Amino acid sequence: MKALLLLCSCLWAPLVVGKPDNDTVPTPYRLQTALLDTTWTNDFGIKPWPQHPRPLLRRESWKSLNGIWTYQPASGGDDLIDPPSTPLNQEVVIPSCIESALSGIMASNVTHMWFATSFTVPYDWAQNERVTLHFEAVDYEAVVLLNGVQVGFNRGGYFRFSIDVTEHLNADGSNDLLVFVFDPTDDPSHHIPLGKQTNDPSHIFYTPCSGIWQTVWLESAPATHITNMDIAAGMDGTVTGNIQSSVGSHYPVNFSILDESGTPLATYSALSDQPFKFTVPSPRLWSPDSPSLYDISVSMGPDTVTSYTGFRTISSEKVKGVQRPLLNGKFVFQFGTLDQGFWPDGIHLPPSLEAMTFDIKLLKSLGMNMMRKHIKIEPDLFYQACDQLGLMIIQDMPSMPANSLPDPASQTEFERQLELMINEHKSYPSIVTWVIYNEGWGQLTHPYHPEKHIAERIRKLDPTRLINAVTGWHDHGAGDFHDNHHYAEPQCGTPFYSLPGTPYDPDRIGFQGEFGGVGHVPELRNLWPVQEAMDTILQTYEINQDLSSYNYRSHQLLDHLREQVALFACSGAVWTQTTDVEGEVNGLVTYDRRVMRVNATQWKEDIQALYDAAEARN
């Protein structure tokens, strides 16, 4: 890659810079006028996302750094040699995408940028021994300087990273934090996992997200502390896990599953940094109909953290001669939407937790039991909400640019980041399937087919879930699914609907990875008001003149799917889509979440008919 990558590759003798004086008065933060707002836009405020960001590994000693920072664009990677004085030119609210109205910046096509803030650490943290600085996600690369010393570097726009900053802290006063960010988005000289982001939005490709777009926070812990936990709990009560520690050796760990009153239901003495297994008798099982969760308490020496888990088993077996996905030993038909996770005011980040859970609750209210999280990874609080509300998640890996062929270095980086996705999220009960490739985007299709060895690697990292190696086409037999996309009608689980790129395979699960997509043009006030986007509206698969015809056509398609469930080997389907996005107008609701297209009574009946048809096949 370009200058930043070359500079960062040789950096790990820390760069030390002085802090120059600066009399700059930054331009004050102002919420920009969104091209299209939501009912939550004005709730964003200057202290957004106050919730603890990692529900699976929580300590009480933490401090959010979200709020007003300063920002300015940079000219290129060489700016790292001479960092700017602070404060920077303009106030910005973190977390946010700089392209968004919520950020206060609303800038486009900025590839290099600086962010700065200052902070103090709580006085009582002196009782502990280590302080960690956490970034939940920065798109795409970040170089972190604290008090003039480079303390960390990260690559990957959807993944967390943490830096032990103890040795560089001023415990008795202010600390200056400076972050340099590089985001090439879809620059053709780069092949990076970016999903649907593009600097030239058109129809199914949207406004990008650059910068520090998830929570930044500090945490205090003893020198000997827990760094990560992998937990899986099965329908038979078996709990398997691995508690990673800062000491890197086998250290005694006390692990407790708690009942609703907080009383230990089961306890186990384990050792850190090695697998363990024990059994909880007769646990309540997690499912969309009954999303039972159990709190967890783990202590290791002076350190105590809390977490949670759900007991459920995901598997695949033949049921009456048909290969099926099973939840807790039973075939459960999976039905839900393609969920893009874009917002008109925040782009990748909704204004609040309430806004984020709106989409999940909408699907649940219609009787859906699944969502396909489409080539985007959400904040951890999203997956916690799905765990709590009971929604199965098919999780896509963010794709590399469509119609691109990665070079070996880009392919290696894609696979590294895919492993990050799995390792960071494999303890969330709601996630049931990992997706490697979407419609061949960034997929090598010559006789060496990387999805085969990637699928094998995923099974070693996480044997508790299914793998959809290729959703759409270019299926070479890897993974647990043969998955077909077809608009508008479904073509699911039958040989005579097999497409050339998705050959029917009775030994894998028949799945409709995308269908539907029927659209309706709302009033102008509910549209993304960008002419280039509006010009592509007619590219939507079908456009209905009014909501009556929209719901009639949707009923036809859902009934067609019901027939395929009843007659063939169709085990699940994904309707496009939850919400409109920019130039796409085929959501259950409009992009601003203000207009609901679906006739809820009709849709609930049609969805229940799918489950009834599947139940009759058990």
Side-chain angles (χ1 to χ4, degrees), residues 157-170:
Y158 299 90
F159 306 103
R160 69 171 68 117
F161 61 100
S162 300
I163 306 165
D164 186 329
V165 295
T166 311
E167 308 305 328
H168 306 285
L169 279 176
N170 178 2

Side-chain angles (χ1 to χ4, degrees), residues 552-566:
Y552 174 73
R553 179 58 170 152
S554 300
H555 170 70
Q556 284 185 316
L557 297 174
L558 291 171
D559 195 53
H560 192 177
L561 178 65
R562 178 195 58 78
E563 292 177 344
Q564 294 173 18
V565 175

Side-chain angles (χ1 to χ4, degrees), residues 16 21 41 50 54 62 165 175 197 234 256 270 351 381 399 408 426 457 472 501 518 565 574 606-608:
V16 180
D21 295 330
T41 301
R54 294 192 193 174
W62 75 286
V165 295
N175 295 272
Q197 301 180 70
S256 298
L381 293 171
S399 64
K426 64 185 178 182
R457 177 61 178 154
V518 296
V565 175
V574 178
D606 288 341
I607 292 169
Q608 185 58 49

Side-chain angles (χ1 to χ4, degrees), residues 185-430:
T185 309
D186 57 349
D187 182 317
S189 63
H190 297 79
H191 294 281
I192 67 172
L194 80 170
K196 289 199 169 184
Q197 301 180 70
T198 178
N199 282 318
D200 186 23
S202 62
H203 197 48
I204 64 169
F205 299 98
Y206 320 127
T207 302
C209 173
S210 302
I212 305 172
W213 72 278
Q214 289 190 34
T215 290
V216 184
W217 55 295
L218 294 165
E219 185 179 41
S220 176
T224 300
H225 62 271
I226 296 164
T227 57
N228 189 51
M229 297 197 303
D230 297 328
I231 305 297
M235 60 180 287
D236 61 354
T238 299
V239 178
T240 59
N242 194 324
I243 311 299
Q244 289 94 55
S245 72
S246 61
V247 293
S249 61
H250 297 171
Y251 199 97
V253 173
N254 294 315
F255 186 100
S256 298
I257 302 282
L258 309 178
D259 64 18
E260 293 177 348
S261 67
T263 303
L265 179 67
T267 60
Y268 188 78
S269 296
L271 293 175
S272 69
D273 303 288
Q274 70 177 33
F276 65 86
K277 180 187 294 188
F278 68 98
T279 301
V280 175
S282 304
R284 302 184 311 275
L285 301 187
W286 185 94
S287 72
D289 292 332
S290 180
S292 299
L293 299 172
Y294 288 84
D295 288 334
I296 292 172
S297 177
V298 183
S299 61
M300 187 181 76
D303 189 29
T304 298
V305 299
T306 58
S307 186
Y308 71 88
T309 193
F311 288 82
R312 62 49 169 164
T313 296
I314 309 299
S315 59
S316 175
E317 295 180 13
K318 294 273 188 181
V319 177
K320 294 186 176 179
V322 178
Q323 197 71 32
R324 299 294 195 186
L326 306 185
L327 173 63
N328 298 329
K330 181 179 179 181
F331 166 44
V332 175
F333 187 83
Q334 298 179 12
F335 184 76
T337 56
L338 191 77
D339 193 85
Q340 312 265 22
F342 276 73
W343 293 78
D345 45 13
I347 312 300
H348 266 190
L349 184 72
S352 67
L353 181 61
E354 179 186 6
M356 186 171 69
T357 57
F358 172 86
D359 291 356
I360 303 168
K361 291 176 179 177
L362 169 63
L363 302 191
K364 288 290 293 185
S365 73
L366 295 172
M368 298 185 192
N369 62 10
M370 174 269 287
M371 168 196 289
R372 179 182 164 205
K373 178 48 64 177
H374 186 41
I375 52 179
K376 182 191 178 216
I377 301 171
E378 297 289 356
D380 281 16
L381 293 171
F382 175 89
Y383 300 98
Q384 181 188 35
C386 293
D387 291 343
Q388 294 170 335
L389 294 170
L391 194 70
M392 293 184 287
I393 300 297
I394 296 171
Q395 178 63 56
D396 290 10
M397 173 62 189
S399 64
M400 289 186 281
N403 302 317
S404 70
L405 292 177
D407 57 32
S410 298
Q411 179 66 26
T412 298
E413 181 63 20
F414 173 83
E415 294 180 25
R416 183 189 74 86
Q417 292 188 27
L418 186 144
E419 290 194 15
L420 288 176
M421 177 185 76
I422 292 165
N423 285 328
E424 288 186 10
H425 297 86
K426 64 185 178 182
S427 294
Y428 286 103
S430 55

Side-chain angles (χ1 to χ4, degrees), residues 196 202-206 335-342 362-363 366 368 374 439 486-488 514-522 526-528 533 536-544 546-547 550-551 553-554 557-558 574-593 595-598 603:
K196 289 199 169 184
S202 62
H203 197 48
I204 64 169
F205 299 98
Y206 320 127
F335 184 76
T337 56
L338 191 77
D339 193 85
Q340 312 265 22
F342 276 73
L362 169 63
L363 302 191
L366 295 172
M368 298 185 192
H374 186 41
E439 295 185 347
H486 191 267
Y487 290 102
E514 295 180 26
F515 82 111
V518 296
H520 161 260
V521 182
N526 305 114
L527 272 173
W528 183 246
T536 65
I537 282 175
L538 294 182
Q539 295 179 28
T540 301
Y541 308 103
E542 293 182 9
I543 296 288
N544 292 271
D546 53 36
L547 292 183
Y550 167 88
N551 280 287
R553 179 58 170 152
S554 300
L557 297 174
L558 291 171
V574 178
W575 177 276
T576 301
Q577 59 184 325
T578 308
T579 75
D580 293 353
V581 188
E582 299 193 7
E584 289 192 85
V585 293
N586 49 13
L588 305 179
V589 293
T590 51
Y591 196 20
D592 59 4
R593 277 74 168 174
V595 178
M596 184 167 172
R597 291 192 176 94
V598 299
W603 274 70

